[in-house]
Amino acid sequence: MENNKSKLSPIRIVLGILQGMLIGLGAVLPGISGGVLCVVFGVYKPIMELLSNPFKTWKKHLVNLLPIIVGVVLGFLGIAKLLGFVLDKYPNQSICLFVGLIVGLMPSLFREAGEKGRSKGSFISLGIAFVLIMALLLGYAQLDLAIKPNFAWFLFCGFCMALSIIAPGMSFSTLTMPLGLYQPLVDGIGGLKPDVLIPCGIGAVLTVILFAKVVNYLFDRHHSVSFHAIVGVVIAATIMTVVNEVSFHQSIGGYAVCGVFFVLGAVGAYLLDRFNSSVRAKSEE
């Protein structure tokens, strides 16, 4: 059975690369978590098993995850420069598209959260996570911080990026945008600048080493409570992304265009989830 699972058909390879590109893109998009996309695409658990015990699980997962990994690199590095340009030229439309994508993925995330049942504790964790993140982000919004990007701060960015993968729902932009680190980071990645990529990579690797086992344990032993907390984080982060990043001083036409991009993002995410579910069902047969 294991051998059959490790054989990749051409369509699964192409789909894996596309999914990986979206995960890599999600790792740098404002308000979106690469980890959430991993959950939606059904690759979060094998990725966490690989990260938490690489020497024991690489034979089991590496072949299936290789197209995903290739896609992540392509999406992460190849899109960053374009992303910086788009965010600069079309900020409102871009954010609305991203928010639509998150909203379109929410049903899948909520479905995953209830995969092993729901309890009162599940909804309590959702509410607590929502309140805590809202309070944190509202507090950030009140601060007037002037941070000069340097090696230490890019280490912190690497920590945030890795956390957005191993803790689904945690978007690294949630922490880096209020600190003024998001744009320098995206520009540095897009320009392949070593003074950005090196500390960021070190921070990401250290984070995986220190936290992957802990996060994997939580989701393995306390699946429902942990995932419902993620749902709360995603909802709060999405609301604050709209509040902080979308201009509310637009013409009616401007609002209409933003609405169109929001719908495109939501519909695109929904269709992608349906397609992914059908491919996964066929592969399991």
Side-chain angles (χ1 to χ4, degrees):
M1 180 66 69
E2 189 65 38
N3 291 333
N4 292 334
K5 289 184 178 180
S6 63
K7 293 180 180 179
L8 293 175
S9 64
I11 189 171
R12 289 186 65 190
I13 293 174
V14 173
L15 179 62
I17 292 175
L18 291 175
Q19 290 173 340
M21 290 181 68
L22 287 173
I23 292 170
L25 183 59
V28 293
L29 291 181
I32 297 180
S33 165
V36 169
L37 296 178
C38 289
V39 172
V40 172
F41 295 146
V43 297
Y44 176 76
K45 291 177 182 177
I47 285 177
M48 288 307 301
E49 288 182 7
L50 182 63
L51 291 177
S52 58
N53 292 290
F55 297 107
K56 293 182 178 180
T57 60
W58 71 270
K59 288 184 178 180
K60 178 181 178 183
H61 294 306
L62 188 59
V63 172
N64 286 330
L65 291 177
L66 191 57
I68 301 281
I69 295 171
V70 172
V72 168
V73 174
L74 293 175
F76 183 74
L77 296 179
I79 303 298
K81 193 165 186 176
L82 176 62
L83 175 63
F85 171 80
V86 171
L87 285 173
D88 182 55
K89 296 294 183 181
Y90 309 101
N92 292 322
Q93 296 89 334
S94 301
I95 297 299
C96 288
L97 181 67
F98 304 153
V99 170
L101 178 62
I102 299 171
V103 172
L105 295 177
M106 279 300 298
S108 297
L109 181 59
F110 193 72
R111 184 171 63 246
E112 178 71 19
E115 185 181 42
K116 297 183 179 180
R118 309 182 200 274
S119 64
K120 289 183 179 179
S122 302
F123 292 100
I124 291 173
S125 69
L126 188 156
I128 292 175
F130 175 82
V131 172
L132 287 177
I133 296 301
M134 286 294 289
L136 174 65
L137 297 181
L138 286 171
Y140 270 134
Q142 301 302 316
L143 297 177
D144 185 18
L145 299 176
I147 291 177
K148 183 179 181 180
N150 54 29
F151 188 91
W153 280 114
F154 285 130
L155 278 175
F156 172 76
C157 290
F159 161 78
C160 294
M161 290 184 112
L163 194 63
S164 74
I165 297 294
I166 65 177
M170 294 300 296
S171 169
F172 95 97
S173 64
T174 296
L175 296 176
T176 56
M177 271 189 169
L179 299 175
L181 295 171
Y182 181 80
Q183 193 69 43
L185 179 64
V186 170
D187 291 340
I189 294 172
L192 299 178
K193 297 179 181 178
D195 58 334
V196 174
L197 293 176
I198 292 175
C200 188
I202 293 173
V205 171
L206 290 177
T207 301
V208 169
I209 293 173
L210 295 174
F211 293 103
K213 287 182 179 292
V214 175
V215 174
N216 191 45
Y217 173 84
L218 288 175
F219 287 109
D220 185 50
R221 299 297 181 89
H222 307 283
H223 181 278
S224 182
V225 172
S226 300
F227 264 97
H228 279 81
I230 288 171
V231 173
V233 171
V234 173
I235 294 173
T238 302
I239 292 173
M240 291 307 299
T241 297
V242 173
V243 172
N244 291 332
E245 303 300 328
V246 177
S247 172
F248 292 95
H249 302 285
Q250 301 185 64
S251 64
I252 295 178
Y255 282 114
V257 171
C258 287
V260 169
F261 276 88
F262 172 84
V263 172
L264 287 174
V267 172
Y270 173 76
L271 293 176
L272 183 62
D273 177 50
R274 290 289 299 271
F275 177 70
N276 180 66
S277 297
S278 65
V279 171
R280 285 169 59 188
K282 290 179 180 178
S283 65
E284 290 173 359
E285 293 175 358

